[in-house]
Amino acid sequence: MAAVAASGAPKMSASAAPKKKNDTFNQMDKPTQVRLSNITAAKAVADAIRTSLGPRGMDKMIETGKKEVVISNDGATILKHMSVLHPAARMLVDLSAAQDVEAGDGTTSVVVLAGSLLSAAEKLLKKGIHPTQIAEGFQHAAIEAVKILEEISIPINLDDREFLLKSATTSLSSKVVSQYSSILAPIVVDSVLRVVNPAVDTNVDLNDIRIVKKVGGTIDDSELVPGLVLNQNAITSAGGPTRIEKAKIGLIQFQLSPPKPDMDNQVVVNDYRQMDRILKEERNYLLNLVKKIKKAGCTVLLIQKSILRDAVNSLSLHFLSKLKIMAIKEIERDEIEFICKATGCKPIADIDSFTEDKLGYADLVEESESNGSRIVQISGIKNAGKTASIIMRGANQYVLDEADRSIHDALCVIRCLVKKRALVVGGGAPEIEISQRLSQLAKTQTGFQSICFQAFAEAVEVIPTTLAENSGLSPISIVTELRNRHANGEKAAGINVRKGTISDMLRENVIQPLLVSTSAIELSTETVRMLMKIDDILAAR
Amino acid sequence: MTQFDNEDSQSRSREPGFIFVSHGNPEPGFHVPPQALQEPSYYTPPPNGQYAEDYPSQPYTQGTNAYPPQQNNQGYDYNPPAQEIQPVDSAYNTRTHQEPQDPGHYKPQQIEPVPEDASVKYGTDANKQRYSLPPAYNTVPPTQQPQYTNVYYANTASGPQNNHLFSTSAPTYHTNPPNGYVPPPAVPPQTFQQPKGYIYAQGPYQQPYGQPPIFIQHTEDNKYKRLVKENPKEVGVFAALGACLFGTMSGIFDTNNQDSALFIGGSRVSGQEVRAQNVMAALSIANVIKTSLGPVGLDKMLVDDVGDVTISNDGATILQLLEVEHPAGKILVKLAQQQDTEVGDGTTSVVIIAAELLRRANELIKNHIHPATVITGYRLACKEACKFIADQMALKVDKLGQEALISVAMTTISSKILGAYGTFFAEMAVNSLSAVKSVDFRGKARYPVKAVNIMKVKGASARESSYFTGYALYRPLTSAAMKRSLKNPKIAVIDFDITKTRMKMGINIVIDNPDNLEAIRKREADISSERVRIILDAGVTAVFSTRGIDDMYVKMFAEAGAVTVTRVPKEDARRIAKGTGASLITTLANLDGGESLDASSIGSAELVEQVRLSDDDVVVIRGAKEQQASTVILRGANDYMLDEMERSFHDSLCAVKRVLESGAVVPGGGSVETALDVYLESFATTLGSREQLAIVEFANALLSIPKQLSVNAAKDSIELISKLRAYHTAAQTAAADSPRSALKNYGLDLHEGKIRDNVKAGVLEPAMSKIKMLKSATEAAINILRIDDMIKLLPEPEKEDPHAHM
């Protein structure tokens, strides 16, 4: 494998003349070849998702190895599904994933930016600048760029709902659900505001926001539900209730089915009277459990999924339905925490500890059917924790999945604003501003640093260029005009994709969190630095 | 493999828009398609006029022949029907030889070509050429040529891998070239090679098949080149600005192609090419089902890999059975299924509209209109169209009365197999659905389609189908000793076995004394007989069990004068329980730890009886206490017909349900589509932006429905639609109170080839179905349009099982 990588490297560059295999190890230009090969691979990845940037970016359809179809506009999702093989290219995939974790949005931008920085680095390499110098130069440039971003950012207050809505709308505008942003943006903003305390919190746990996806209906029908929504359905096979008012909710982690003896142990019967006793014992065992549950006042029973035993059997369901207790089984282990938080109940592991103080209270628990699917909704919860449930609906699974991803991105945008309460404008404006200021800075410096600053400045312009291209505009005229406007002090001038002109992004309500932009610059620069410092690829077992 | 050599399949296959360019094998009596005659080395046409007699001298007697001629007493003789000999005259032979592309006798009805719309371009020579087979096919000798008829092969798992759209079990000549056959140039794997299914999309979207694979095709690169070509000056300036901007980015694009396979474990198609592919896949899907649209649409026969046959006219059913592999095609199949579950009708139309929207969008995009603009335009148009239907076209059923319901059912039925008995079945649909009306706790009336029990009984004609109120179970009484008819039964629906009780796993019965054995056995039997006692003592006289009842217990029931039915399907059991006010009893256990049967779980009805239908005994429950059920007994000649009858009847039930629940109808027969076309075109002119073009295309795409309707009915679509559009324009420009505004109800009369007031004629459809159809078709089209890149990954290698035996 090492030999393959080594001999493969020269092939990738047109300039390298083919040599004998052993020669490659003695050649001085091998590190350069490795570097160039890495750059080529990484750039190919950047190019692959370039067309999905921006509000008019297109989607990718990916047929995975398992013949599943994914249609997406989200950079991280696309790259996750493309099985990228080249190790250097994989770094860009990871970069996109890192941006997804850190900021949640801008996953396409970060990769496109990294691709562009690599192109710049390639040119500098060819000029004979040492890779570590390039890495260092870019690092300084990135620090300066972040400073510039912070300088032009607009601090906000989380009470200002308008700004939050606008940022969510900007994030949603590039997705397939863009036309529904007037519905989805308030859902996103309200759900985040519901789970955080704006005065104290500096982060949002997105696990507290639950998205339930149901096929059927259109995205218009999506809503933020007061209370909790369960994916599971009420069990009605024994005629149990599906609607309980003034419900007391219990969450049990044990099973309502007769215990099974071990394989080694046998119950031995040698008299016919014992047969009756066995049947009766089973009944009484279950009856006892159910009666205790009823005694605690529980009217809605959530049962955790168990792999060892049946969660319920027909006998216990029969008893539950007789006692008018609504039963919902198959609650996943990882849902327990959320459900407990949302309903204020506590998980009960043992029947003896089934007491009233562990129950949650809700005004209504109801299973309802709409658009061909059933959901259980718990509303009017007393002592509800800080959680939010969103029901997503869509015509088919593809739309639904993509809508889910878009909502996640928008949630992340709001989360970024909670983390770092500042905004920058969108539409390529901050990138042009960075580019111009860095160019000026470059002139104040000497040596390789100056050249690196200049190269970095030009590389950053890839964002407005791509935006313009994807919108069907002429990138040259747009970018040159943008430079002009920014040089004249219009810091918020960006590409108005809808009208195909340049306008004030602040007035157009195209805004994004500062954190998305800074994290994109920091992460992409770091990835480029790391790629610069690689001079050999070896396969290890 | 069966050859369907009837005239219909032959003539239809000649239509250029049809998906399979079919050639029956050159058996005598059929006119040999010109393509097959192009290669003289394999096939020499017979001398003039002697076609029929000379044919046997052709190498048909040789063993390789797949279709040996029929043999009768005089040796080989083909007595082709007179009308089929006709094309084989001298003029035909010579001409087809010299000009193989000349449609000659095949020219179907000449219809005036209309620009911008290929769907009516049938028969023009320019189009004919497009649909001819690619040269590679002509190198196959006629006898080796697979036989393509209008039979679709559904779900053939054996289909070769490169078949992206449909698998047919037709043989592939690629794998088995005959001697002397020069194979077509080798096509590397991973290309979108022409699917073996011989699919020809209509319109200019065909892929250049057999081209080398394009791993990464960079749109931007092309754009850059185009830019250079069109705007050299601008590019000059651009280049001067700094290669970093665009130059370097395009630098990425130079180092592409084969290496890219390194970075992506699969193949990739981008830009216009993927759009063209997706559009072609969508069109192919639409082409399959478009001939089944409307009252005169025809059916499809689908044969699956085990040879099961389905004959259907229903879009969703046909598409479900086809094995569609192309991802974009799958979206359309899903679309039809979604329409089927949500509305139940209009599955064919929704696919046709979606495909037409895509075709037109692709055309716009080719003319340098950005896809995003097209999408915005489509969305706008769809919104406007839905508003227009709701405000202008919809009529309240309250005003039209009961008649309207029957008309709605009629309209749905008319396009299906039951069309011939329209009124009969329409009334049956309305009555049977009205009988199951229920009101939910919010006070809203519901008409559960599932409560209408459809039974299929073979034998007798469709006319003898009948309907009655009550629930029929396709099960006989358990014992002949039971009463055939029982008045005012008390009904229990049980979901447990009444058999000898067995102990559970893990319980061993160990007997020391042989005397105890009998006691144990007796106890085993007694546990259940005690249960039977409990049931009988509760006053139950009719037991419906989803499971079995042992003979000894059946006897107990029979002696007590009760009736039992065993092995009732669970779905039926639930419905019986619901209808009679009983509950499905899973166990007799009570809250005291003992066993008893609660009176509240016993239901009642007026009558339970066993009647004889055809050859089978059927138990019928009449006059159920809580909720009425109705049963429709469909009679038909064979299973295929019965299945299709059931589907048709179900569709009409769904349509009636929608109308009953939403209360609004629209005139059918293409009138809504034409009205929308007229309206949207004028709406488009009120917009000053690029979206205008997309809206106009959206409007025209809707016309594909009336066009296809008239084409299917073999009527002059141009004339009819021009007239229809004129009427609708008049209606929309007229003042609100003017009598001319009633012209908006005009639609097609496909039997007469005229236009008429479809509200008066009783051609009505649920308004909700139309709105939903437009919404989901637009949604699906946009979904596909947004795709500009398709990445197909290689199938994952199967994981090695570490525990597997080596």
Side-chain angles (χ1 to χ4, degrees), chain A residues 41 47 59 61 63 81-85 179 267 269-270 276 282-283 287 291 318 399 469-470 476, chain B residues 218 238 246 253 262-263 265 370 379 504 506 508 510 523 589 591 595 783 786 788-791 793:
Chain A
D47 160 55
D59 293 357
M61 178 185 251
E63 194 181 277
H81 285 95
M82 291 199 318
S83 59
V84 174
L85 306 177
Q179 60 161 341
V267 179
V269 173
N270 48 23
D276 278 340
E282 182 188 329
R283 278 205 295 270
L287 193 60
K291 275 188 171 163
H318 173 77
V399 172
E469 268 175 42
N470 288 352
I476 305 127
Chain B
H218 297 281
F238 186 49
F246 196 83
F253 314 135
L262 278 177
F263 315 132
H370 197 275
R379 282 210 170 118
K504 284 193 178 145
N508 275 4
V510 179
R523 192 60 214 148
L591 294 175
E595 292 198 322
N783 218 331
R786 277 181 63 99
D788 82 330
D789 210 330
M790 181 153 76
I791 297 160
L793 300 177

Side-chain angles (χ1 to χ4, degrees), chain B residues 98-166:
Chain B
Q98 284 157 1
E99 304 161 284
Q101 294 294 351
D102 189 331
H105 281 257
Y106 298 113
K107 198 174 275 185
Q109 187 191 0
Q110 189 88 34
I111 297 170
E112 241 180 277
V114 181
E116 301 165 5
D117 186 358
S119 70
V120 290
K121 269 186 191 166
Y122 294 161
T124 57
D125 286 5
N127 275 306
K128 265 284 175 195
Q129 291 206 315
R130 235 180 252 142
Y131 308 121
S132 65
L133 287 171
Y137 288 83
N138 298 333
T139 57
V140 186
T143 49
Q144 286 288 328
Q145 198 134 27
Q147 178 192 20
Y148 321 125
T149 59
N150 280 339
V151 185
Y152 299 95
Y153 293 88
N155 291 329
T156 35
S158 57
Q161 286 308 304
N162 66 348
N163 187 348
H164 289 282
L165 287 159
F166 308 105

Side-chain angles (χ1 to χ4, degrees), chain B residues 600-728:
Chain B
S600 64
S601 40
I602 302 174
S604 63
E606 284 165 16
L607 184 73
V608 170
E609 61 172 345
Q610 174 170 298
V611 294
R612 200 160 180 81
L613 269 183
S614 179
D615 270 348
D616 298 299
D617 287 325
V618 172
V619 173
V620 180
I621 304 162
R622 293 187 202 266
K625 193 177 79 183
E626 294 283 317
Q627 185 195 27
Q628 288 299 328
S630 47
T631 300
V632 173
I633 296 161
L634 296 177
R635 309 297 302 263
N638 55 41
D639 283 338
Y640 313 130
M641 192 174 160
L642 282 172
D643 287 348
E644 179 65 359
M645 279 168 75
E646 186 191 3
R647 281 190 289 269
S648 317
F649 196 76
H650 180 260
D651 279 5
S652 66
L653 285 178
C654 287
V656 174
K657 174 190 154 97
R658 296 291 162 208
V659 175
L660 281 170
E661 285 180 5
S662 70
V665 291
V666 290
S671 73
V672 171
E673 286 83 358
T674 319
L676 283 176
D677 173 62
V678 171
Y679 173 71
L680 288 178
E681 278 199 354
S682 70
F683 168 71
T685 52
T686 63
L687 289 171
S689 54
R690 288 154 168 253
E691 280 82 14
Q692 194 190 66
L693 293 164
I695 294 172
V696 171
E697 291 301 321
F698 187 96
N700 292 338
L702 293 178
L703 272 191
S704 60
I705 296 289
K707 267 176 196 163
Q708 193 60 43
L709 281 173
S710 44
V711 166
N712 284 354
K715 299 285 184 264
D716 187 343
S717 68
I718 309 292
E719 198 188 314
L720 283 175
I721 285 159
S722 325
K723 209 182 266 176
L724 204 50
R725 289 190 54 178
Y727 275 53
H728 280 282

Side-chain angles (χ1 to χ4, degrees), chain A residues 271-431:
Chain A
D271 187 15
Y272 72 91
R273 280 176 291 265
Q274 287 172 324
M275 292 167 64
D276 278 340
R277 255 190 76 196
I278 286 176
L279 292 175
K280 204 158 183 167
E281 272 308 308
E282 182 188 329
R283 278 205 295 270
N284 282 338
Y285 171 78
L286 291 174
L287 193 60
N288 200 11
L289 288 183
V290 176
K291 275 188 171 163
K292 272 186 184 159
I293 290 169
K294 180 71 186 175
K295 206 175 158 196
C298 173
T299 48
V300 175
L301 194 63
L302 310 178
I303 306 162
Q304 187 186 305
K305 197 174 186 173
S306 163
I307 45 168
L308 294 173
R309 265 163 62 186
D310 297 332
V312 283
N313 69 356
S314 61
L315 199 59
S316 55
L317 284 178
H318 173 77
F319 290 139
L320 286 173
S321 95
K322 282 265 159 159
L323 292 172
K324 301 266 173 289
I325 298 173
M326 182 169 168
I328 298 164
K329 62 172 181 175
E330 308 256 307
I331 305 288
E332 299 285 345
R333 194 176 285 266
D334 51 6
E335 288 177 306
I336 299 271
E337 195 186 337
F338 181 82
I339 291 175
C340 288
K341 205 168 176 185
T343 58
C345 66
K346 293 192 184 79
I348 303 164
D350 180 35
I351 186 67
D352 293 331
S353 50
F354 200 105
T355 48
E356 196 172 351
D357 60 313
K358 295 203 171 72
L359 303 181
Y361 178 85
D363 286 338
L364 179 68
V365 177
E366 184 186 19
E367 183 181 71
S368 55
E369 186 181 353
S370 62
N371 291 310
S373 56
R374 293 170 174 277
I375 46 167
V376 173
Q377 196 172 331
I378 302 176
S379 48
I381 300 170
K382 221 192 252 173
N383 306 325
K386 290 199 162 194
T387 58
S389 295
I390 300 170
I391 304 183
M392 291 292 308
R393 291 188 170 279
N396 59 46
Q397 196 62 46
Y398 305 134
V399 172
L400 205 53
D401 288 347
E402 181 64 1
D404 178 25
R405 287 189 285 267
S406 313
I407 286 273
H408 173 257
D409 280 9
L411 284 172
C412 288
V413 162
I414 306 296
R415 182 178 65 174
C416 288
L417 288 176
V418 175
K419 278 184 185 169
K420 206 172 186 179
R421 299 179 184 188
L423 289 167
V424 289
V425 292
E431 284 80 10

Side-chain angles (χ1 to χ4, degrees), chain A residues 12 40-41 43-51 55-67 69 71 73 78 81-86 89 112 115-116 119-120 123 174-176 178-180 215-219 237-238 243 258 261 265-272 275-276 278-280 282-284 287 291 314-315 318-319 322-323 366 368 371 395-396 398-399 455 458-459 461-462 465 469-472 474-477 479-480 483, chain B residues 161 216 218-220 223 227 234-235 237-238 241-246 248-249 251-253 255 259-266 268 275 278 325-328 330-331 334 338 342 370-373 375-376 379 441-442 501 503-512 516 519-520 523-524 527 530-531 574 584-595 598 600-601 691 772 775-776 779 782-783 785-796:
Chain A
M12 282 170 200
T40 314
K43 280 198 302 185
V45 171
D47 160 55
I49 60 167
R50 204 165 156 253
T51 53
R56 298 227 157 160
M58 292 283 132
D59 293 357
K60 311 260 175 243
M61 178 185 251
I62 302 166
E63 194 181 277
T64 62
K66 288 178 188 144
K67 296 274 171 191
V69 177
I71 300 174
N73 182 282
I78 298 167
H81 285 95
M82 291 199 318
S83 59
V84 174
L85 306 177
H86 195 286
V112 171
S116 174
S119 296
K123 288 172 71 74
S174 66
K175 316 285 177 182
V176 72
S178 57
Q179 60 161 341
Y180 304 108
V215 176
T218 52
I219 294 170
S237 63
R243 185 189 153 94
N265 298 341
Q266 291 284 344
V267 179
V268 177
V269 173
N270 48 23
D271 187 15
Y272 72 91
M275 292 167 64
D276 278 340
I278 286 176
L279 292 175
K280 204 158 183 167
E282 182 188 329
R283 278 205 295 270
N284 282 338
L287 193 60
K291 275 188 171 163
S314 61
L315 199 59
H318 173 77
F319 290 139
K322 282 265 159 159
L323 292 172
E366 184 186 19
S368 55
N371 291 310
N396 59 46
Y398 305 134
V399 172
E458 281 169 4
E461 280 185 344
V462 73
T465 311
E469 268 175 42
N470 288 352
S471 319
S474 159
I476 305 127
S477 52
V479 172
T480 45
R483 287 177 178 175
Chain B
Q161 286 308 304
I216 292 198
H218 297 281
T219 12
E220 279 67 37
K223 210 183 270 171
L227 204 65
E234 208 171 18
V235 174
V237 175
F238 186 49
L241 281 175
C244 224
L245 263 188
F246 196 83
T248 47
M249 280 318 279
I252 294 179
F253 314 135
T255 52
D259 281 343
S260 300
L262 278 177
F263 315 132
I264 301 159
R268 182 174 167 208
R275 213 166 280 127
N278 285 342
E325 278 189 23
H326 195 284
K330 276 185 197 159
I331 292 183
K334 284 227 171 100
Q338 193 67 30
E342 282 187 22
H370 197 275
T373 314
I375 290 169
T376 323
R379 282 210 170 118
F441 69 92
R442 288 190 184 86
T501 313
M503 290 287 102
K504 284 193 178 145
M505 288 270 286
I507 299 176
N508 275 4
I509 299 180
V510 179
I511 306 163
D512 309 321
N516 282 350
I520 295 263
R523 192 60 214 148
E524 278 184 345
I527 290 174
E530 274 164 22
R531 286 185 182 152
R574 284 220 183 88
L584 191 62
I585 306 162
T586 47
T587 165
L588 291 174
N590 63 13
L591 294 175
D592 308 322
E595 292 198 322
D598 206 354
S600 64
S601 40
E691 280 82 14
K772 203 113 200 172
K775 275 190 183 163
S776 26
E779 203 59 32
I782 288 173
N783 218 331
L785 275 182
R786 277 181 63 99
I787 298 166
D788 82 330
D789 210 330
M790 181 153 76
I791 297 160
K792 283 186 95 135
L793 300 177
L794 299 175
E796 281 175 14

